[in-house]
Amino acid sequence: LTAIVLGSAAGGAVPQWNCRCPVCALAWAGDSRVQPRTQTGIAVSAGDGSWTLINASPDLPSQIRATPALHPRGELRGSPVDAVVVTGAEIDQIAGLLSLRESSPFTLYATPASHAAVAANAMFGAMGAMSRRAINPGERFMLAGDIEATLFMVPGKLPLYLEGEAPELDTESAANVGIELHREGARMVFVPGTAAVTPAMRERFARADVVLFDGTLFTDDEMIRTQTGQKTGRRMGHLQIDGDGGSLRALAGLSARRIFVHINNTNPILIEGSVERRKVEDAGWQVAEDGMEIVL
């Protein structure tokens, strides 16, 4: 079981196109301590030449170009991308689907809630070669290469464009899921967005070899303090890394390899050598970079 991190940043990427927060300012200046990152997604394969994408960010075309394993080969038109699984219907999880509209067939796996959000947007009607399969949380399904997959609900909220004035911030629903991938004893879990860690999630993580987990913000009030937004991480449906109830404490003691993904451009763990980066590394975590390869 192999995974390639296509993108490791939260929505907006790093540096964000309109931002000069401390992290982005370093990235714009070409500081080697901050590596540019695209929006989060991974590709997985069992080594048979077929690949499944997990989430399709707006950066997907550049991610494919940067990943030789995903380049077309052989016939005039075609792709090793066999399927796409989405863990929600946020813009940074589905917008890249529109870049796969040039008639190469693939299957979109998503919960009924996410399929409904895609179907409600007329632009996705152009996806004539995309077949759709609804997967309920807890249902096992097979991906190319005999990879067994399961979607599971995690605390969160509806996509931003659907949430309304008073969204439920930590409800488990089919609108926000993680995915567990299993093949021949190797097990990987990918949770790019969650508002909390439940006992069931921790139990699932304890069985995994690798956990790729929501690293959006280091502190809950990070965007308010950096004057880049008015919402806390919790209001956005994301658990912070540090502090009481943060992921460092909630997931301490796991034997799995732990990697932060979906990292916001304001998050100081993106700065190599920073106090915050050292803190997560000392706790046994890695910070994902675009192009990182994980082989189990």
Side-chain angles (χ1 to χ4, degrees), residues 170-252:
D170 54 7
T171 300
E172 290 188 12
S173 78
N176 188 53
V177 298
I179 185 169
E180 182 175 349
L181 303 163
H182 176 243
R183 186 179 187 274
E184 295 184 349
R187 195 176 301 269
M188 179 182 304
V189 180
F190 177 66
V191 181
T194 184
V197 175
T198 65
M201 289 168 62
R202 187 178 167 92
E203 182 179 339
R204 190 181 295 272
F205 296 165
R207 302 193 300 265
D209 299 293
V210 176
V211 175
L212 296 107
F213 190 80
D214 184 356
T216 306
L217 300 178
F218 189 73
T219 56
D220 189 49
D221 64 347
E222 183 176 301
M223 295 190 70
I224 297 172
R225 287 189 297 100
T226 56
Q227 299 182 332
T228 54
Q230 293 79 46
K231 296 178 182 178
T232 63
R234 175 172 170 74
R235 173 59 182 79
M236 295 187 294
H238 293 286
L239 176 67
Q240 81 278 7
I241 293 173
D242 200 27
D244 292 338
S247 54
L248 284 186
R249 296 186 186 181
L251 297 177

Side-chain angles (χ1 to χ4, degrees), residues 71-102:
H71 292 180
R73 53 184 178 269
E75 63 273 23
L76 178 64
R77 287 288 182 94
S79 169
V81 174
D82 178 76
V84 180
V85 185
V86 297
T87 61
E90 292 282 7
I91 292 170
D92 61 355
Q93 295 169 323
I94 64 171
L97 291 172
L98 294 170
S99 297
L100 303 179
R101 65 188 182 277
E102 282 85 11

Side-chain angles (χ1 to χ4, degrees), residues 23-170:
V23 177
C24 285
L26 291 175
W28 287 123
D31 193 302
S32 61
R33 293 174 295 171
V34 179
Q35 297 300 314
R37 287 168 166 83
T38 58
Q39 295 165 92
T40 289
I42 65 174
V44 296
S45 177
D48 63 343
S50 295
W51 289 82
T52 297
L53 309 182
I54 314 296
N55 290 339
S57 88
D59 297 317
L60 186 56
S62 64
Q63 293 169 344
I64 290 174
R65 294 183 190 106
T67 308
L70 300 182
H71 292 180
R73 53 184 178 269
E75 63 273 23
L76 178 64
R77 287 288 182 94
S79 169
V81 174
D82 178 76
V84 180
V85 185
V86 297
T87 61
E90 292 282 7
I91 292 170
D92 61 355
Q93 295 169 323
I94 64 171
L97 291 172
L98 294 170
S99 297
L100 303 179
R101 65 188 182 277
E102 282 85 11
S103 302
S104 288
F106 68 95
T107 302
L108 175 66
Y109 295 90
T111 65
S114 293
H115 271 304
V118 171
N121 190 313
M123 285 192 296
F124 291 101
M127 305 294 296
M130 181 178 74
S131 59
R132 310 182 189 212
R133 180 176 167 189
I135 302 293
N136 292 311
E139 176 186 349
R140 295 181 180 180
F141 59 105
M142 300 303 296
L143 299 171
D146 293 325
I147 299 173
E148 182 180 290
T150 307
L151 301 178
F152 58 95
M153 294 187 294
V154 300
K157 64 176 185 62
L158 291 171
L160 178 63
Y161 57 93
L162 297 174
E163 68 178 26
E165 293 298 322
E168 296 185 34
L169 301 177
D170 54 7

